[in-house]
Amino acid sequence: MLAKNFSGFILETGTDEAGRGCLAGPVTAAAVILPADFEHQFLNDSKQLSEKTRELLKPIIEQHAVCYSVTHLHADEIDEINILNASMKGMHECILKLNQIPEFVIVDGNRALNSKLGLKNNFGKQFSTTEIELLKSIPNQCIIKGDAKFLSIAAASVLAKTYRDEYMHKIHEEFPMYNWKQNKGYPTKEHREAIKKYGTTKYHRMSFRLLPEQLELEF
């Protein structure tokens, strides 16, 4: 069973992201505050769960969470500020969107959240001074493999993954030749062959190495 709390604060938020290594589509972040008595035998790191189990857990998390939020950061913003900064910014946005201000934030990974706050860019949300100060005031702790250790981070990983998969299914209808409903934008052989054959779309991350040979692509 995963741990319920790290900090001892009641309003502890778990946050995580999905889609960092993809060639197309958004990086999707989620933040979740769970009630102190929440538990579920299947809840774990979303990467260790089947798609069916993730879809089963999604409405349970949404129904029982004290509050939750999900944010997509799209390819143009990823290309401008890089994928690491985009992942962090997505988690910052999720924290600001929660119905309650967290007392503490636990983050999956090895980087704390307070770096690069207020990064100026041309795409997506711009943080106000008030929002930056609020984010800086909330203590946070990064936890390596936290999505397999704490329930709230695991819940955030499930929401991030399921909402992102849903988005990829939607844009698959627009560009079915890339089979995003199956590969979700990850660098599979099939996806790269489609890029080689059809070129890129507005959903592709142009700052990524889309093809191993990095051939000149058709725009």
Side-chain angles (χ1 to χ4, degrees):
M1 178 65 70
L2 277 59
K4 294 183 178 182
N5 191 278
F6 171 84
S7 66
F9 289 102
I10 294 172
L11 295 180
E12 179 179 273
T13 300
T15 186
D16 199 4
E17 51 72 30
R20 187 182 290 194
C22 296
L23 304 180
V27 62
T28 302
V32 180
I33 301 178
L34 293 173
D37 61 351
F38 181 86
E39 56 184 44
H40 196 285
Q41 61 177 329
F42 297 146
L43 183 55
N44 205 332
D45 168 14
S46 64
K47 296 185 292 297
Q48 298 183 30
L49 303 174
S50 67
E51 183 175 0
K52 182 178 179 181
T53 301
R54 290 194 298 267
E55 291 297 335
L56 171 72
L57 286 167
K58 178 176 178 277
I60 295 171
I61 294 166
E62 292 175 336
Q63 179 182 352
H64 292 281
V66 173
C67 55
Y68 69 91
S69 62
V70 179
T71 298
H72 298 301
L73 267 75
H74 297 283
D76 48 9
E77 191 164 6
I78 292 168
D79 287 338
E80 184 176 26
I81 65 176
N82 81 45
I83 186 60
L84 176 60
N85 288 331
S87 299
M88 293 291 169
K89 185 169 183 278
M91 289 187 273
H92 284 135
E93 290 190 32
C94 284
I95 291 166
L96 292 173
K97 286 161 66 175
L98 291 170
N99 292 336
Q100 297 198 45
I101 297 173
E103 297 173 287
F104 198 94
V105 177
I106 50 176
V107 188
D108 182 54
N110 60 2
R111 289 177 182 264
L113 273 179
N114 286 344
S115 62
K116 300 292 182 75
L117 270 170
L119 194 68
K120 297 298 181 185
N121 57 293
N122 296 310
F123 301 101
K125 177 179 173 57
Q126 301 292 318
F127 295 128
S128 68
T129 302
T130 302
E131 288 172 331
I132 291 171
E133 290 307 310
L134 174 60
L135 288 166
K136 285 182 175 178
S137 73
I138 304 170
N140 72 87
Q141 175 66 48
C142 57
I143 300 171
I144 295 172
K145 296 185 179 178
D147 48 6
K149 295 176 181 176
F150 289 91
L151 284 170
S152 62
I153 302 180
S157 78
V158 168
L159 293 190
K161 175 64 175 165
T162 53
Y163 273 84
R164 187 180 186 281
D165 284 357
E166 183 179 297
Y167 184 91
M168 296 308 293
H169 278 258
K170 180 180 175 182
I171 64 174
H172 168 85
E173 301 303 319
E174 190 176 353
F175 294 101
M177 67 281 282
Y178 300 95
N179 199 20
W180 288 331
K181 70 178 180 182
Q182 183 68 37
N183 62 55
K184 307 301 190 294
Y186 281 92
T188 61
K189 181 179 179 181
E190 173 193 43
H191 188 186
R192 282 187 153 141
E193 286 296 323
I195 293 171
K196 195 172 179 179
K197 182 175 181 179
Y198 300 106
T200 58
T201 69
K202 60 187 176 181
Y203 299 111
H204 280 99
R205 303 174 185 178
M206 301 311 297
S207 58
F208 278 48
R209 191 182 184 195
L210 300 178
L211 295 175
E213 320 83 32
Q214 206 58 54
L215 299 174
E216 190 164 331
L217 301 176
E218 224 179 280
F219 297 100

